[in-house]
Amino acid sequence: MNASVAIQVLPHVNSDEEVIRIVDEVIDYIKSTGLKYYVGPCETAIEGEYEELMEIVKNCQYIAVKAGSPKVASYVKITFAPEGGVLTIDQKVTKHHQ
């Protein structure tokens, strides 16, 4: 693993229920990738190889639009170490959830 990303997808829709429905579709897509992920209250973290993660980030926008959002904003944090060695999700959060 040489990268991790945290993505927050913000659909521009008229109700909280629609935001939740669309974000749930994005999260379902992330789950379907088979990569390690962690859903938090404001963003979802994913770990894997850089190129694959960038494709997932791109696809999250398309998923939100396809789900009914006419416009979407996303905030993305990227950690990239070409030779590997980025901190894992477990290293970052496990001690806080025991």
Side-chain angles (χ1 to χ4, degrees), residues 9-11 13 16-32 37 39-41 44 60 63-64 67:
V9 175
L10 301 169
V13 291
D16 290 343
E17 292 79 15
E18 273 298 280
V19 169
I20 291 169
R21 183 187 67 76
I22 292 169
V23 169
D24 283 348
E25 289 198 33
V26 173
I27 293 169
D28 286 343
Y29 161 69
I30 292 168
K31 289 177 180 179
S32 78
Y37 67 90
V39 177
T44 298
C60 287
I63 298 293

Side-chain angles (χ1 to χ4, degrees), residues 61-81:
Q61 317 317 297
Y62 293 127
I63 298 293
V65 169
K66 185 177 178 185
S69 182
K71 183 167 62 170
V72 61
S74 291
Y75 296 92
V76 180
K77 301 174 199 170
I78 303 166
T79 302
F80 176 52

